[in-house]
Amino acid sequence: MVAHTGAKSVVINQDAYYLDHPDLSFEERCALNYDEPCIFDHDLLYQDVCDLMAGRSIQRKGYDFSLHARSDTNEIIHPADVLIVEGIHAFYDPRLMDKMFLKPYISVEPDICLLRRISRDIKERGRQIDNISAQYLNTVKPMYDRYIRNYISEADVIVAKGGKNARIVEILAGYLNNELENRKNK
């Protein structure tokens, strides 16, 4: 969507803000529920968003999913015209939501989500199908039912088809362009 505006944008991935647990063994870290909203460092994410919105640069945060440990990078993120916070619990923290100008909820069928998760976890996170299945049944699906599906009520707009709807992308890009132009003229 932002590509259609020509605006300079930055994406902050909530997954980079998992809490670090250096005091736990690897096995204990593996057993944590990574789909529960309190697993994230909401304060740090909020502070980074506030800093970017105030015109201050931040260090890009990172997370190593194979070790279940934080692995921040040396990359510096500079403020941009558009800041996108992406993540399954992006609507969990009311402080963060108060900072959001536009809150789109990307609606994806659960079976498509599962297939995407399997592919991602195998390719990017080095996981095995039995581990992915157990995690899905034990934490992913219950947290979806408890939290994520309910975030739809917080959204300004619901984007169907998992964001693969060209028409809604054009509409939102036009809306964003208009808002950026209005802010520029003030």
Side-chain angles (χ1 to χ4, degrees), residues 6-172:
K8 182 180 168 191
S9 64
V10 168
V11 176
I12 301 293
N13 295 307
Q14 188 180 40
D15 278 1
Y17 289 82
Y18 280 112
L19 290 167
D20 202 17
H21 296 281
D23 52 314
L24 300 179
S25 70
F26 176 73
E27 291 74 21
E28 290 170 318
R29 291 192 310 268
C30 287
L32 293 172
N33 181 349
Y34 288 92
D35 294 286
E36 214 283 326
C38 293
I39 196 75
F40 294 101
D41 189 339
H42 294 284
D43 291 336
L44 182 58
L45 174 58
Y46 177 73
Q47 185 58 56
D48 279 356
V49 167
C50 288
D51 285 346
L52 287 168
M53 291 179 79
R56 295 183 293 270
S57 298
I58 64 166
Q59 177 185 5
R60 182 173 296 281
K61 306 307 182 280
Y63 196 80
D64 185 327
F65 294 94
S66 63
L67 299 175
H68 296 292
R70 288 290 297 276
S71 66
D72 294 348
T73 71
N74 291 326
E75 181 185 352
I76 300 300
I77 299 175
H78 301 286
D81 299 325
V82 177
L83 173 59
I84 299 167
V85 178
E86 179 273 327
I88 61 171
H89 292 294
F91 293 170
Y92 179 77
D93 185 344
R95 301 171 303 167
L96 190 57
M97 285 195 19
D98 285 344
K99 296 281 184 192
M100 296 178 185
F101 164 72
L102 181 63
K103 296 182 288 289
Y105 180 96
I106 310 300
S107 179
V108 183
E109 293 296 321
D111 55 343
I112 300 298
C113 289
L114 176 58
L115 292 172
R116 289 178 181 172
R117 174 179 278 274
I118 291 168
S119 177
R120 179 202 66 196
D121 283 2
I122 289 172
K123 290 178 186 173
E124 298 174 20
R125 299 181 180 178
R127 299 213 176 118
Q128 302 298 317
I129 192 71
D130 55 341
N131 172 269
I132 297 167
S133 301
Q135 183 185 29
Y136 183 82
L137 293 173
N138 294 326
T139 65
V140 175
K141 180 74 167 87
M143 294 299 103
Y144 173 81
D145 290 339
R146 183 172 178 188
Y147 294 104
I148 299 162
R149 74 164 44 179
N150 299 316
Y151 292 145
I152 200 165
S153 66
E154 303 295 337
D156 296 319
V157 63
I158 299 156
V159 180
K161 300 180 184 175
K164 304 289 185 202
N165 182 333
R167 209 172 268 153
I168 192 66
V169 170
E170 288 176 19
I171 291 168
L172 291 173

